[in-house]
Amino acid sequence: MAHRKVYLAVGRTNTRIYRFDPIDGDTRVVGKVPAYEAGYSAMGAQYRGDGKEPLLFAVSDNRLVVIDVETGKVSDAVVEGLPSGLTWYDGDMDGDGKKLLVASGPDMPSYTIDVAARTAVPGPRPGPGRWDDFAHHPKDGRLISVEGDNGDLLHVDPRNDPMKTVLKRKVFPPAEASGSSGSRRSYSATFFDSTGHFYAVDSAGNVNHLDLTGGSIPGRAERIGNGKIPVDGLEVVNGAGRITPMPVAPSYDEIVVTKKSNGGWPSYDPQGRVYSFELTITAVDKNDGKGKETSRFRISFDLRSAHGAKVEASGVDVTHEDGKAYLSSQADQLLSAGNSRPIAVQITVPGDPAELPSEYPLDGLRATRLA
């Protein structure tokens, strides 16, 4: 199972959950999930079927924390057999979503937690280093991690003691710590897409991508974007999830986009409403206001996944997955720095026309420069 977004645990204490889209960098706190005062890490995701948010499991001291991002409920309970007094780092669920493997210090046992029974059994030691998360490769099941101090790509094998071996040295840049007190300089959130593209986020929010879809390991990972993902200056402490692949390269090079509503009207097949917009992209960096020549772009916004929901627009390819729509330019369309281009868009939203809003909110609207 995979979704269009993954989940980040942010903050050593008063930990919050953020949704993160690795393709366009869209990062938002999940407002209805409350902060967990004691803090947690070593997080994994249990998927519950199409159209449903996963359950997240994490560890805090000797307690298993369950985060339901769909309802916002957070609960915890003591795990039999899990020692207290330890700081936990790495975590990931097994393929069945029933067991969470977690690790602490280099010479302490790892533990496999049965999340239904809330029992834990010890396993081999992690081994030395500053690596704070691991993720299962979707093709061969190997646990992959990154050493924060030097960027080595690691294989974490629970059949060995210690579990850590180095696959290739200095593939990633050294990790950065966040500005928050006590932040570790580590790659604290790692995950794959379902074809084998690997993503690693360090404590400061820098995102890196490595193509592990084939048999060889590239020499260097690619750092995505010109800055850190927005997590309010806090520390990224862990991550969980797997994403569906996209036919475009990831990019966080955000440019200006504005919307103008042209009204709406009822739809009868499917029943709902059609909304008309003019979306205007401007070749200007959203962060610093400087002009930026743009030849390829992508626009994205929220659109719930429901039968009959669709987007129509000319000159762009439309992809609609897991609650988001992506409109990508079909070919090079040179836009000089500072210049603008309008795009006519129609959005069909199923539902009772009397209960749907008169203007669709277009939450999450953003434009990304691809080239």
Side-chain angles (χ1 to χ4, degrees), residues 40-71:
Y40 53 75
S41 58
M43 192 165 67
Q46 181 189 74
Y47 286 99
R48 300 183 286 180
D50 292 337
K52 291 184 69 67
E53 299 277 10
L55 279 178
L56 303 178
F57 294 92
V59 177
S60 178
D61 193 52
N62 64 340
R63 306 182 75 85
L64 181 67
V65 184
V66 184
I67 306 108
D68 190 331
V69 292
E70 195 164 89
T71 65

Side-chain angles (χ1 to χ4, degrees), residues 68-239:
D68 190 331
V69 292
E70 195 164 89
T71 65
K73 181 181 178 181
V74 178
S75 60
D76 60 17
V78 171
V79 177
E80 181 183 347
L82 190 68
S84 62
L86 297 179
T87 300
W88 303 96
Y89 302 106
D90 308 85
D92 200 25
M93 303 295 291
D94 65 2
D96 294 331
K98 296 180 179 179
K99 294 181 179 180
L100 175 67
L101 175 64
V102 300
S104 182
D107 295 318
M108 300 299 296
S110 60
Y111 284 85
T112 299
I113 301 171
D114 184 319
V115 298
R118 296 191 183 90
T119 57
V121 294
R125 298 166 300 153
R130 194 194 302 264
W131 40 285
D132 281 17
D133 198 21
F134 43 47
H136 285 95
H137 194 293
K139 293 183 178 179
D140 57 29
R142 290 180 302 168
L143 275 172
I144 302 297
S145 188
V146 182
E147 167 62 60
D149 286 335
N150 54 31
D152 290 350
L153 186 71
L154 307 178
H155 175 208
V156 183
D157 191 341
R159 298 170 298 182
N160 297 334
D161 190 356
M163 297 190 291
K164 166 195 158 182
T165 58
V166 177
L167 288 175
K168 196 167 188 175
R169 298 197 179 278
K170 298 183 178 180
V171 178
F172 291 77
E176 298 177 22
S178 77
S180 58
S181 176
S183 175
R184 283 168 62 87
R185 194 175 63 251
S186 64
Y187 280 99
S188 50
T190 61
F191 38 86
F192 280 93
D193 75 10
S194 55
T195 63
H197 290 276
F198 180 63
Y199 296 83
V201 185
D202 70 11
S203 303
N206 296 299
V207 186
N208 301 266
H209 165 256
L210 186 69
D211 186 348
L212 294 179
T213 59
S216 61
I217 300 173
R220 295 290 292 175
E222 170 200 12
R223 178 155 285 183
I224 308 171
N226 299 319
K228 302 169 179 59
I229 59 175
V231 290
D232 305 315
L234 301 173
E235 179 183 5
V236 178
V237 296
N238 217 245

